[in-house]
Amino acid sequence: MFIEIINKDGKYNSSYRGIVNIQYVHQVQVIKGRHRSYELHINLLNSPSIELIGTKEECERFYNQLQEILKTYQQLSTTDTLIFPPRLPSEPLIDENEEQEL
């Protein structure tokens, strides 16, 4: 799953626009920078980190948005097996060997 990150403000000379594969997001953190600015670091496994500079509120808001996206992605990606039709909770599991005998 890919997300597009756009920082078009450029008031801190840090404009950025790029596509990021969120499965490579290793760490996201807000760091206090110089001159009352803050930095949002998005550390990636396969490339240099993305550093967005803004106010504390801007960085925290974007951090929270990104955490929600990552949480949703993790919930989606943990499903290894889908069974159709869905089993009722009271139904026993059917072993593949038993299924072949029927």
Side-chain angles (χ1 to χ4, degrees), residues 1-4 19-25 44 65-66 68-77:
M1 180 172 161
F2 291 87
I3 57 171
E4 184 174 16
I19 302 291
V20 175
N21 186 337
I22 62 172
Q23 77 182 38
Y24 295 122
V25 174
L44 304 172
Q65 291 173 342
L66 189 54
E68 285 298 313
I69 291 171
L70 292 171
K71 185 171 34 170
T72 301
Y73 171 74
Q74 288 171 350
Q75 289 170 352
L76 292 174
S77 66

Side-chain angles (χ1 to χ4, degrees), residues 4-62:
E4 184 174 16
I5 297 176
I6 302 171
N7 177 23
K8 58 186 176 183
D9 190 8
K11 63 182 174 184
Y12 296 102
N13 297 321
S14 65
S15 60
Y16 175 85
R17 182 179 184 130
I19 302 291
V20 175
N21 186 337
I22 62 172
Q23 77 182 38
Y24 295 122
V25 174
H26 174 65
Q27 182 183 38
V28 180
Q29 57 186 351
V30 177
I31 299 172
K32 186 173 181 181
R34 294 183 256 159
H35 310 296
R36 297 185 186 163
S37 67
Y38 282 75
E39 299 174 6
L40 178 72
H41 288 242
I42 304 170
N43 297 324
L44 304 172
L45 293 174
N46 63 345
S47 65
S49 66
I50 299 168
E51 298 173 0
L52 304 174
I53 300 173
T55 65
K56 181 178 181 181
E57 293 78 20
E58 290 169 337
C59 289
E60 287 177 348
R61 185 173 43 240
F62 194 82

